[in-house]
Amino acid sequence: MGSWKFHSEDEWPEPSAAGVRLVDAPILFFVVTHKAFRFELDAILRVAAEGGEVVVELSQRLEFLKLVYDYHSLAEHEVIFPALDSHVKNVVRAYSLEHSSIDDSFSCIFHHLDLLINKEEEDASQTLQDLISSIVTVRTVICHHMHKEEEQIFPLLMERCSPEEQSKLVWQYMCSFPTMLLGEFLNWTTLHLTSYVKLDVLHCIQRMLPKERQLQEVLISWVQHESSSSGPNSIYGKRHQLLNGLSNIDTLNREQQFNKASSIHDNLVEEPVNGIHIWHAALRRDLDQIVEELLHIMSSNCSRSLSSVFVQLKFIVDVLIFYSKFLDKMFCNLSNLEAENSKPLWNPLIDECQIKALQRLLLYESRGSAQLENFVEMLYQELESLVRGLGKNLMLLETEVFPSITTSFTIEMQMRLLQACIYMMPLGLLRCAVTWFSSHLTKSQSKSIIKAVELGLHPALSKSFTSLLCQWICIGNSGKISAETFREDLEEMFCGRSFYLAKQNRQKTIFTDWMFNPNSTRRKIRADFPSSSASEETGEMDIPMFFSQKFKRMPPLHRNLVEADHATSTTLEYRPMDAVFYFHRGLIKDLEYLVSLSAKLAADVGFLTEFKKRFELLRTIYQIHSDSEDDIAFPALESKGALQNISHSYNIDHELGSKYFTKTSIILEEISKLHDQQGSNETRARLDKLFLEIHRNCLSLCKVLCDHMYREEVEIFPLFRESFSVDEEEKIIGRMLGTTGAEMLKKVITWLMAHLTTVEQQAMVSIWLKVAKSTYFDEWLREWWEGMVERTVSTAEEGFRPPDASMEVVSIYHNGDIPGQMPSYRDPLGGTFGCKHYKRNCKLLAPCCDKLYTCIRCHDEQTDHSVDRKAVTGMMCMKCMVIQPIGQKCMSQSCNGFSMGSYYCNICKLFDDERQIYHCPYCNLCRVGVGLGVDYFHCMTCNGCMGKSYVVHTCREKCMEDNCPVCHECMFRSRSKIKALPCGHMMHSSCFQYYTCSEYICPICSKSLGDMQVYFRMLDDILAEETIPEEYSGRTQVILCNDCEHRGTAPFHWQYHKCSNCGSYNTRTLGDVLKSML
């Protein structure tokens, strides 16, 4: 059989493992589910775009999508992520954070859907457009997340797990879905697959359960069940009816809904309440047994059975949680129907705080016998307290609540409610619970329950599943599964996981000594998985959403991600990496502004120019920021061995973020072209469509990038504070700054300062100045900023305008003739202006001697003094011979904007029309090259621009400001190439070639200038052939090695002494040791 493959949709490429068969890599079943989610999101958008009466269908499909995605995410949390984390550390937390973000994204959808359903807005069409925009955003976020999983998570699992292990993970994933939903989910997942891919899915199911033929048949029947995707009997319609029925029981018409009560009485089926009494008795008995086992462990100090107790208790706790939540939502509502205005008879079955404390203890990892003894005692106390409260609540149920239900509702209705409870259990939990409960039944009780199950078949489930359920009951009741075998099954299903762990407890928790010290007030738990802020705020346990009230979800207040998380960090001591938080704040504010601008485009095209300008600036700044993180910050973090793999998810984010910008840029280009054309009705309609599309793209872009920055601040950047010193952080920020050129830095500073408060501006500049303290950055910053302010004030307040008349320009600078007021040529025959140093079209007016020179170097060569280049304010255009203020273009009308040079630096007063030159803001000088971040970077410690091949080098503070040790010329302003030596010192490249003709050690520190092993081996051969005179034989000399700095001894020689530590001959003698002294 060939390989299966999905075609890519829109901008989402195929996964890297798209050509692998599902049978060979079962983990790719998740790619099948991703395909279904993408298809469903696209279908929802098509339905919403059609308009008309689509609210009912949209509500059904969106509620179903939210439900299955919640379970999909929870199953990944409980199964896939822990499995991967056991093989590869530092990967899954980013994806856990993304799940929380996606869950929040649905709130806005349901808010707009509420408005449409309740007709609370007069402009329904605008509300529908807002709804579509929210759906587009959610689609982007979900597809973004799924693409990353396909690029990183699943390939890692394919690499680290065998096909059998992958099959087990997929099966545990399926077992996490409620039984009633699993059939619909499998059918929905494979609804739009080709016959070939669906066949591959069926083969995968057979491989997952090779010995479970009956269970295979059930799953295959769910996959092969034919259902439509529209209408009241569709997969969405049935699920919508089910949700409504379960969430709003008080609205059911009992006479119409349950009309088969007489038929069940005729078959002499016992009332379901009798079975519940048996259920309660089984819970009491097993909990008492566990309490007794814990007492035995405490008294005997033998912990061999503790692991099995753990697993059994996890199972019972999961059963209790589900049963309690079901009673809360079902039986409690039913009992209250009979006493609408009376006091409710119901209390929660279990105390939520108690169950959370018990769950934390069940995640215990032993670290010693002393901790174990205290831990078992704590577990015993918590469990005993839980059992006491549970006993009272069960008694209340049996004496007051259930009698009210049995007298008020038919057996048929009771049966359906009980079945709903059973079928809403996750399949894995249901299998264990049915087998466990059946072992407590008599033969007659077992037969009665099997009869009830067969007669009360739920319409949402197949007959094959009912047969499977009856088979489980028979197996559990017959005793074919021993207690040990059942515990092994529980171990496989519950070891290391729990179906209903509270989100804040879904962690690998390690209890330290403070937990067992009753006098300690310290509370700290180290977690490998993140907690959910939502669950922490509400206190709700992580029970799936079967019982959610329909659409009663208001959109959360906009979360300023930076402010929320930076609030605590600003109270800590100063750290250089805090600069990233300020940068994120600027990005978030600009993204929000971009969204607001995009919303105005349809009403006023005049905003298009501003939008394009802001968009391109934001795109450039985001790319610079992303590149610096990918190339510098993340590799530095991963260089710490314990933090490897932590940044790959964020690298993918950056790559996808660039694609979002590109996609929006393409739309923007089309808008610009259409805007320049004559406006026909067709063009206007197309423009309106594009304006709407670009607004939705901006919304999605804002959501994705803001969430990305939030995750960075939660997971990545706190690690810098833990793993690096302040000096190390300064070096990281310095390297990030050192790849940013002057022109880009001007844009970034201006942009960022506009988004920060005065205090934040001061903090940000303080970080920059401290990072660049060994450079001339402060000088450059002051000169640029003051010059910009002066130009702004001059233009705005004084109304300055460049003079138009040539004579007016001349009169400003000089009255009369000036020496040198004539053109000079670099190529007289070709008529090319310039000098031997530069190709340019102007001369500079030297303020020191009031003469014109083609360049500053010409001045210095022709006079006995040097000119201060920053004092130069005038120039002469060699085309019109007019003296004027210095600038890149001639100001006279006759020249019509004639350029003085393709490159111009207003700080260095440098013109050039031939070479690639850039101004380094840290050297505050112009250098030959393409620019920082392209072919050069600036080392903040050495204070010099270096080629990118020298990223890894030995740093010495301000070593570039030293004189060359050979020619003694200052290297910082030298125009000659510089050679970096292995020891960290510098010299001119030409001087290096001259010097190494006779020497091989650094003239400053005496370390070897390179790998001298060939030369040293040659010396070994020479010395081996030499014969030392007898009077010097046996004499040794004390030496110091210049290379390894080791102090030792070597045999006497007039010139060569070999280091015994590193084998180098680059040594010096410190004295002689006579033979007699040895």
Side-chain angles (χ1 to χ4, degrees):
M1 185 180 295
S3 63
W4 62 277
K5 183 181 287 189
F6 283 138
H7 294 292
S8 60
E9 294 182 4
D10 295 334
E11 70 274 19
W12 301 106
E14 292 179 347
S16 56
V20 182
R21 293 179 60 202
L22 188 57
V23 178
D24 298 328
I27 202 70
L28 293 180
F29 176 81
F30 290 96
V31 180
V32 177
T33 64
H34 287 182
K35 175 74 174 180
F37 281 117
R38 290 191 181 102
F39 188 93
E40 184 65 25
L41 287 162
D42 290 341
I44 289 173
L45 280 173
R46 286 194 294 271
V47 170
E50 289 174 358
E53 300 297 327
V54 297
V55 178
V56 173
E57 183 178 356
L58 276 178
S59 64
Q60 293 177 2
R61 298 188 77 141
L62 285 167
E63 189 74 9
F64 176 79
L65 176 68
K66 179 67 167 64
L67 184 67
V68 295
Y69 193 81
D70 279 346
Y71 278 103
H72 168 80
S73 300
L74 291 174
E76 284 191 331
H77 274 294
E78 296 293 348
V79 179
I80 303 303
F81 292 169
L84 179 60
D85 195 64
S86 66
H87 293 285
V88 183
K89 297 297 182 183
N90 305 321
V91 173
V92 299
R93 193 183 184 210
Y95 293 90
S96 299
L97 290 171
E98 287 181 17
H99 280 165
S100 302
S101 171
I102 292 170
D103 188 64
D104 294 340
S105 301
F106 275 98
S107 299
C108 195
I109 289 180
F110 290 118
H111 169 65
H112 294 305
L113 203 52
D114 280 343
L115 296 179
L116 286 175
I117 291 173
N118 300 326
K119 299 181 180 179
E120 296 178 8
E121 294 286 339
E122 296 181 0
D123 191 355
S125 62
Q126 182 58 46
T127 305
L128 180 61
Q129 292 300 324
D130 293 340
L131 173 63
I132 295 174
S133 298
S134 300
I135 296 173
V136 170
T137 300
V138 169
R139 176 188 179 277
T140 302
V141 173
I142 290 179
C143 290
H144 179 102
H145 170 75
M146 293 189 300
H147 173 76
K148 289 176 59 181
E149 286 188 331
E150 292 166 7
E151 286 294 310
Q152 185 180 19
I153 297 291
F154 305 144
L156 284 174
L157 286 171
M158 290 170 61
E159 177 186 340
R160 302 302 178 99
C161 300
S162 66
E164 291 72 22
E165 291 172 326
Q166 295 176 39
S167 296
K168 185 177 179 181
L169 291 175
V170 176
W171 170 237
Q172 290 180 350
Y173 166 83
M174 290 183 180
C175 286
S176 298
F177 277 79
T179 304
M180 186 178 293
L181 181 62
L182 180 59
E184 303 288 356
F185 174 71
L186 289 176
N187 183 251
W188 169 80
T189 299
T190 58
L191 190 62
H192 300 284
L193 297 180
T194 64
S195 58
Y196 165 70
V197 178
K198 185 177 290 188
L199 183 62
D200 212 10
V201 172
L202 297 178
H203 289 164
C204 180
I205 291 174
Q206 292 172 345
R207 176 165 187 166
M208 282 192 302
L209 306 164
K211 299 179 181 180
E212 303 273 357
R213 292 298 177 89
Q214 184 92 26
L215 191 52
Q216 281 183 25
E217 292 177 5
V218 172
L219 296 178
I220 291 173
S221 68
W222 286 342
V223 171
Q224 293 180 329
H225 178 68
E226 294 184 2
S227 61
S228 63
S229 59
S230 60
N233 294 322
S234 68
I235 188 172
Y236 312 104
K238 289 189 293 183
R239 183 59 47 222
H240 185 71
Q241 293 168 13
L242 172 66
L243 288 171
N244 281 346
L246 294 175
S247 298
N248 302 286
I249 296 174
D250 55 327
T251 62
L252 293 175
N253 186 323
R254 291 194 295 274
E255 289 75 19
Q256 294 179 0
Q257 186 71 14
F258 305 108
N259 53 15
K260 297 181 181 179
S262 58
S263 64
I264 290 183
H265 280 294
D266 292 341
N267 287 281
L268 303 178
V269 176
E270 294 186 13
E271 289 190 349
V273 172
N274 295 333
I276 293 179
H277 284 289
I278 303 173
W279 172 268
H280 288 178
L283 287 173
R284 289 189 181 101
R285 193 189 77 174
D286 273 34
L287 284 170
D288 289 341
Q289 286 180 350
I290 294 173
V291 171
E292 290 178 4
E293 287 193 49
L294 289 175
L295 274 173
H296 174 71
I297 292 172
M298 290 169 58
S299 60
S300 65
N301 201 24
C302 178
S303 60
R304 284 181 296 178
S305 62
L306 187 60
S307 60
S308 61
V309 172
F310 267 29
V311 173
Q312 187 177 7
L313 187 54
K314 285 180 183 179
F315 164 68
I316 297 296
V317 166
D318 272 2
V319 170
L320 282 175
I321 290 175
F322 186 87
Y323 185 45
S324 175
K325 286 296 177 179
F326 180 79
L327 292 175
D328 286 345
K329 297 297 181 179
M330 309 295 284
F331 290 155
C332 178
N333 288 344
L334 290 173
S335 63
N336 288 341
L337 287 176
E338 301 303 315
E340 294 180 357
N341 298 318
S342 64
K343 183 179 179 180
L345 300 173
W346 172 246
N347 290 322
L349 181 65
I350 52 178
D351 182 80
E352 190 166 306
C353 294
Q354 279 187 333
I355 208 71
K356 287 179 180 179
L358 192 59
Q359 285 177 320
R360 292 191 188 98
L361 290 171
L362 289 175
L363 293 169
Y364 166 77
E365 285 188 0
S366 176
R367 281 192 167 181
S369 57
Q371 281 194 3
L372 180 63
E373 182 180 347
N374 291 328
F375 161 73
V376 174
E377 183 179 354
M378 292 173 62
L379 184 62
Y380 169 77
Q381 293 173 356
E382 288 289 347
L383 185 58
E384 189 180 37
S385 174
L386 178 70
V387 170
R388 285 198 303 269
L390 178 66
K392 294 179 182 178
N393 291 329
L394 290 178
M395 183 64 68
L396 177 66
L397 273 174
E398 295 167 354
T399 56
E400 299 188 37
V401 178
F402 287 155
S404 173
I405 293 176
T406 55
T407 58
S408 304
F409 299 97
T410 63
I411 295 178
E412 173 78 13
M413 184 173 184
Q414 296 175 42
M415 188 68 69
R416 289 291 177 85
L417 291 174
L418 184 58
Q419 287 180 346
C421 175
I422 293 172
Y423 296 145
M424 284 189 295
M425 274 190 181
L427 182 61
L429 180 61
L430 176 62
R431 182 182 185 178
C432 296
V434 169
T435 306
W436 165 78
F437 176 62
S438 301
S439 65
H440 294 78
L441 300 176
T442 65
K443 293 292 183 183
S444 61
Q445 290 170 340
S446 174
K447 290 180 180 179
S448 176
I449 289 178
I450 290 174
K451 189 69 173 177
V453 169
E454 292 174 342
L455 290 175
L457 174 65
H458 199 284
L461 297 170
S462 63
K463 292 183 179 180
S464 60
F465 179 77
T466 303
S467 301
L468 178 64
L469 199 59
C470 294
Q471 183 188 56
W472 288 345
I473 296 173
C474 292
I475 291 174
N477 184 251
S478 65
K480 291 182 180 179
I481 296 183
S482 64
E484 291 184 2
T485 304
F486 179 65
R487 286 203 173 190
E488 289 176 1
D489 292 341
L490 289 181
E491 182 77 22
E492 179 180 350
M493 191 61 64
F494 289 90
C495 185
R497 66 173 295 205
S498 178
F499 285 102
Y500 298 124
L501 274 179
K503 282 187 180 179
Q504 57 266 44
N505 292 343
R506 191 185 291 113
Q507 302 167 349
K508 181 180 179 184
T509 309
I510 297 177
F511 294 81
T512 48
D513 293 334
W514 63 264
M515 281 208 66
F516 307 107
N517 180 3
N519 299 322
S520 175
T521 59
R522 182 172 171 234
R523 295 290 183 269
K524 185 177 180 181
I525 296 178
R526 192 187 79 191
D528 290 336
F529 293 100
S531 60
S532 167
S533 59
S535 62
E536 288 174 356
E537 291 171 2
T538 61
E540 289 290 329
M541 284 185 290
D542 184 18
I543 302 301
M545 308 250 330
F546 259 117
F547 310 118
S548 60
Q549 291 295 320
K550 180 184 175 186
F551 302 141
K552 297 305 179 184
R553 287 162 283 208
M554 295 302 292
L557 294 174
H558 178 71
R559 177 178 58 185
N560 191 324
L561 304 176
V562 175
E563 290 180 2
D565 288 279
H566 190 55
T568 56
S569 66
T570 54
T571 62
L572 303 175
E573 73 275 11
Y574 155 81
R575 301 293 292 226
M577 291 304 293
D578 291 346
V580 177
F581 292 94
Y582 293 123
F583 213 87
H584 282 181
R585 174 168 297 186
L587 287 171
I588 290 173
K589 289 186 177 181
D590 229 33
L591 284 165
E592 293 171 347
Y593 181 64
L594 204 65
V595 170
S596 66
L597 276 180
S598 66
K600 299 175 183 178
L601 288 176
D604 187 355
V605 188
F607 286 104
L608 183 60
T609 302
E610 183 180 358
F611 179 86
K612 290 169 62 177
K613 182 180 178 181
R614 299 294 296 207
F615 174 80
E616 291 301 332
L617 176 62
L618 181 62
R619 182 183 186 181
T620 303
I621 290 175
Y622 171 80
Q623 194 61 53
I624 291 174
H625 177 66
S626 300
D627 290 344
S628 64
E629 286 186 337
D630 291 340
D631 298 338
I632 299 170
F634 293 164
L637 192 62
E638 294 214 5
S639 66
K640 305 292 182 179
L643 299 175
Q644 289 182 356
N645 307 309
I646 199 167
S647 64
H648 188 196
S649 169
Y650 298 94
N651 296 140
I652 301 175
D653 279 338
H654 290 160
E655 179 184 342
L656 293 177
S658 298
K659 290 183 178 180
Y660 299 145
F661 274 109
T662 301
K663 181 181 176 182
T664 306
S665 179
I666 293 172
I667 301 173
L668 195 57
E669 288 179 7
E670 186 176 356
I671 290 176
S672 300
K673 292 178 182 178
L674 291 175
H675 178 59
D676 295 337
Q677 297 174 2
Q678 295 296 327
S680 62
N681 292 335
E682 182 179 350
T683 302
R684 183 60 200 177
R686 176 62 180 163
L687 274 174
D688 289 340
K689 184 178 179 180
L690 290 174
F691 285 145
L692 189 59
E693 186 176 355
I694 206 168
H695 175 59
R696 290 170 180 168
N697 275 12
C698 288
L699 285 170
S700 301
L701 183 68
C702 181
K703 173 64 178 174
V704 170
L705 296 190
C706 287
D707 285 352
H708 162 74
M709 289 182 281
Y710 169 73
R711 292 192 299 272
E712 281 189 337
E713 294 176 12
V714 169
E715 182 184 17
I716 294 290
F717 289 103
L719 295 175
F720 282 93
R721 183 178 291 270
E722 299 172 9
S723 306
F724 295 94
S725 65
V726 173
D727 290 340
E728 289 173 326
E729 284 189 22
E730 286 182 359
K731 289 181 180 179
I732 295 171
I733 294 295
R735 286 191 58 197
M736 296 170 75
L737 280 176
T739 58
T740 307
E743 294 305 315
M744 193 64 238
L745 196 59
K746 293 175 184 178
K747 295 179 182 179
V748 169
I749 293 174
T750 306
W751 165 82
L752 187 57
M753 294 299 110
H755 293 300
L756 301 180
T757 65
T758 303
V759 174
E760 292 166 344
Q761 290 175 4
Q762 293 172 352
M764 191 67 189
V765 173
S766 175
I767 291 173
W768 282 335
L769 291 176
K770 189 166 185 180
V771 166
K773 60 182 178 293
S774 297
T775 73
Y776 294 95
F777 173 74
D778 57 338
E779 178 184 298
W780 172 85
L781 184 63
R782 182 176 59 255
E783 291 176 357
W784 165 68
W785 190 259
E786 290 176 354
M788 187 178 67
V789 171
E790 288 176 2
R791 287 194 298 273
T792 303
V793 172
S794 176
T795 303
E797 297 183 2
E798 301 176 11
F800 174 80
R801 294 290 185 274
D804 296 327
S806 301
M807 292 306 296
E808 185 179 354
V809 175
V810 175
S811 64
I812 294 177
Y813 285 91
H814 202 276
N815 292 320
D817 295 333
I818 298 178
Q821 193 170 0
M822 64 186 68
S824 62
Y825 295 92
R826 183 176 179 84
D827 179 11
L829 297 178
T832 303
F833 294 128
C835 63
K836 63 181 181 180
H837 305 115
Y838 300 100
K839 178 185 175 184
R840 55 174 60 174
N841 299 320
C842 66
K843 283 188 172 185
L844 302 179
L845 181 61
C848 52
C849 48
D850 203 19
K851 295 180 181 179
L852 289 166
Y853 296 90
T854 310
C855 71
I856 291 176
R857 293 177 65 183
C858 290
H859 171 276
D860 293 346
E861 291 176 0
Q862 297 173 23
T863 63
D864 58 355
H865 61 276
S866 299
V867 65
D868 180 7
R869 63 176 62 239
K870 296 176 182 179
V872 177
T873 59
M875 70 174 186
M876 182 198 76
C877 172
M878 287 195 279
K879 182 179 180 181
C880 65
M881 309 293 289
V882 174
I883 299 175
Q884 53 194 289
I886 194 166
Q888 188 165 13
K889 294 181 180 180
C890 178
M891 299 168 58
S892 64
Q893 293 180 346
S894 60
C895 284
N896 193 23
F898 180 54
S899 175
M900 302 294 98
S902 57
Y903 176 81
Y904 167 64
C905 175
N906 66 332
I907 294 179
C908 298
K909 308 301 190 294
L910 178 64
F911 298 86
D912 194 272
D913 208 14
E914 189 174 40
R915 293 169 293 184
Q916 288 184 313
I917 300 176
Y918 69 94
H919 185 91
C920 174
Y922 312 104
C923 297
N924 202 21
L925 291 174
C926 289
R927 304 284 192 189
V928 176
V930 180
L932 295 180
V934 183
D935 55 349
Y936 284 90
F937 75 97
H938 188 94
C939 177
M940 299 295 178
T941 304
C942 299
N943 191 26
C945 292
M946 301 182 181
K948 297 192 78 173
S949 59
Y950 286 95
V951 169
V952 179
H953 67 280
T954 303
C955 286
R956 291 183 181 271
E957 188 168 357
K958 295 187 178 182
C959 66
M960 287 292 289
E961 296 185 46
D962 295 336
N963 293 335
C964 173
V966 177
C967 69
H968 303 291
E969 179 188 358
C970 178
M971 291 183 290
F972 186 71
R973 297 180 181 273
S974 174
R975 298 178 180 89
S976 302
K977 292 184 178 180
I978 305 297
K979 172 72 175 179
L981 307 181
C983 57
H985 293 111
M986 306 282 179
M987 67 171 64
H988 291 125
S989 295
S990 57
C991 293
F992 177 81
Q993 293 177 359
Y994 168 77
Y995 178 76
T996 52
C997 291
S998 58
E999 299 290 342
Y1000 70 88
I1001 64 173
C1002 174
I1004 299 176
C1005 65
S1006 297
K1007 291 189 180 295
S1008 297
L1009 296 178
D1011 185 359
M1012 305 301 298
Q1013 291 303 314
V1014 174
Y1015 175 64
F1016 292 156
R1017 284 196 296 268
M1018 182 184 72
L1019 292 179
D1020 286 339
D1021 296 337
I1022 293 174
L1023 293 179
E1025 296 178 358
E1026 281 189 357
T1027 301
I1028 298 295
E1030 185 176 350
E1031 62 267 27
Y1032 296 107
S1033 179
R1035 178 178 293 187
T1036 60
Q1037 294 176 292
V1038 179
I1039 64 170
L1040 175 66
C1041 180
N1042 293 323
D1043 287 337
C1044 69
E1045 300 180 3
H1046 174 74
R1047 187 186 181 106
T1049 59
F1052 177 86
H1053 196 271
W1054 295 276
Q1055 187 173 4
Y1056 302 115
H1057 305 89
K1058 184 175 182 177
C1059 174
S1060 59
N1061 183 54
C1062 68
S1064 171
Y1065 281 92
N1066 181 15
T1067 60
R1068 67 182 72 177
T1069 59
L1070 301 179
D1072 291 350
V1073 179
L1074 297 178
K1075 183 177 180 180
S1076 59
M1077 296 174 61
L1078 297 177

